[in-house]
Amino acid sequence: MPEGHTLHRIARDLHAAFAGRVVSVSSPQGRFAAGAALLDEHAVVEARAHGKHLFVEFAGERVLHVHLGLIGTFTIDATAYVGERPVVGQVRCRIATDDHAADLRGPITCRVITPDEESAVHHKLGPDPLRDIDGDPAWERIRRSRKSVAALLMEQDVLAGIGNVYRCEVLHRHRINPMTPGERLKRTSWELIWSDLRRLLPLGVATGRIVTVAHEVQEIESALLEGEDVHLDERTSYVYKRTGQQCDRCGSVIRAKDVAGRTLYWCGNCQRRS
Ligand SMILES: [Zn+2]
């Protein structure tokens, strides 16, 4: 499933391609034909994300609201075509100018809403480390809950944009026991989680990959400071999808268990902090 950095990256790219421009909007697949007609030949004002929700604001107080769900994609192509641009697969919505086209496939949500309806969506979501400086609204929820911190980090109305990879990795980075009930999590632990997510997610936006391992984090941060392009090989992680392998920090075997519908990976030996 795409995590928040993916949606912010899409919003960034849609904004760069289309903001301030009048665009054609269509539904090659047909399922969004009526919605597309409401947006067609309007100017894009801004594209923005909150957690896993994407909003493309058009002139005339119309907002395209998208949630990719498990398998959705929104790809932006900057190739100019002579004549008709080919349609590949089931394209629910296409936003296009003569030099850019963005194709949305397989979303669970694709609808046209009003600014008030957009506000209602924001209101239901917790703070997003890529959007909000203040994480306290999440802490207020967490500290009153008996659910485990591993479950709470995945609840979008507590904290927006965090999926399974960031949840597993950030808890390991700070040695936090994923089974700690929210009401027993120390405030200092929460502050480590929030500030680390504020650090890690922008690297995900910049690279299109979830980066959590210390030497890669440092490599990318320094490349970004220097304004260099970043190329990384395969994804590495501390615990995510490493069941049965050794923990890099303590050598214990990494465990896996279902928590909140997704497989939690953690080290039972060095993740003991509450
Ligand atoms: Zn360990």
Side-chain angles (χ1 to χ4, degrees):
M1 178 185 263
E3 301 197 25
H5 68 293
T6 304
L7 279 304
H8 280 267
R9 192 173 160 91
I10 292 169
R12 179 197 72 180
D13 293 347
L14 288 173
H15 190 84
F18 300 122
R21 302 184 69 184
V22 173
V23 295
S24 72
V25 182
S26 60
S27 180
Q29 172 205 48
R31 283 182 60 188
F32 183 59
L38 294 171
L39 307 176
D40 192 28
E41 298 306 320
H42 284 65
V44 170
V45 177
E46 186 184 78
R48 49 185 170 259
H50 184 171
K52 300 176 184 179
H53 293 257
L54 174 70
F55 306 93
V56 186
E57 181 189 343
F58 287 76
E61 305 216 313
R62 292 165 188 192
V63 178
L64 173 65
H65 174 212
V66 171
H67 192 295
L68 294 178
L70 278 170
I71 58 159
T73 59
F74 212 153
T75 52
I76 296 146
D77 173 14
T79 315
Y81 280 88
V82 178
E84 251 338 76
R85 191 182 283 267
V87 173
V88 179
Q90 296 288 314
V91 177
R92 182 80 58 88
C93 176
R94 168 176 285 182
I95 302 174
T97 58
D98 51 10
D99 54 15
H100 283 80
D103 284 348
L104 173 66
R105 298 180 180 83
I108 53 166
T109 302
C110 173
R111 59 178 187 147
V112 179
I113 60 175
T114 65
D116 282 350
E117 288 167 326
E118 181 188 339
S119 298
V121 177
H122 290 296
H123 192 69
K124 285 182 193 155
L125 293 169
D128 173 344
L130 284 167
R131 178 180 181 270
D132 300 302
I133 295 167
D134 179 13
D136 277 359
W139 168 245
E140 291 304 319
R141 294 280 308 273
I142 289 168
R143 73 187 187 89
R144 289 180 168 82
S145 177
R146 289 181 183 172
K147 291 182 189 170
S148 68
V149 62
L152 289 163
L153 291 185
M154 298 281 278
E155 294 191 1
Q156 300 299 303
D157 57 349
V158 173
L159 191 59
I162 304 309
N164 197 25
V165 188
Y166 280 119
R167 133 176 114 163
C168 297
E169 294 287 295
V170 80
L171 291 171
H172 185 271
R173 279 170 61 86
H174 299 289
R175 302 171 181 255
I176 295 166
N177 180 348
M179 307 311 166
T180 307
E183 63 184 10
R184 293 188 51 203
L185 188 73
K186 290 183 179 149
R187 175 151 184 125
T188 49
S189 297
W190 159 250
E191 284 169 357
L192 288 170
I193 293 171
W194 175 254
S195 61
D196 206 24
L197 292 171
R198 296 256 307 152
R199 178 185 183 190
L200 296 176
L201 267 77
L203 306 181
V205 177
T207 62
R209 271 194 26 184
I210 295 178
V211 183
T212 61
V213 174
H215 70 88
E216 293 187 355
V217 169
Q218 281 154 15
E219 190 182 323
I220 291 167
E221 283 178 338
S222 50
L224 291 173
L225 276 175
E226 307 278 321
E228 293 168 4
D229 280 343
V230 182
H231 298 286
L232 285 167
D233 309 326
E234 65 206 68
R235 176 159 78 192
T236 57
S237 59
Y238 287 117
V239 288
Y240 181 73
K241 291 210 166 158
R242 291 194 64 225
T243 320
Q245 297 179 38
Q246 284 191 336
C247 171
D248 290 344
R249 188 159 52 210
C250 74
S252 291
V253 174
I254 289 164
R255 306 180 196 181
K257 172 184 175 180
D258 184 286
V259 175
R262 303 288 300 280
T263 306
L264 171 75
Y265 302 88
W266 85 108
C267 173
N269 184 49
C270 66
Q271 290 182 243
R272 290 167 183 260
R273 178 183 275 168
S274 61

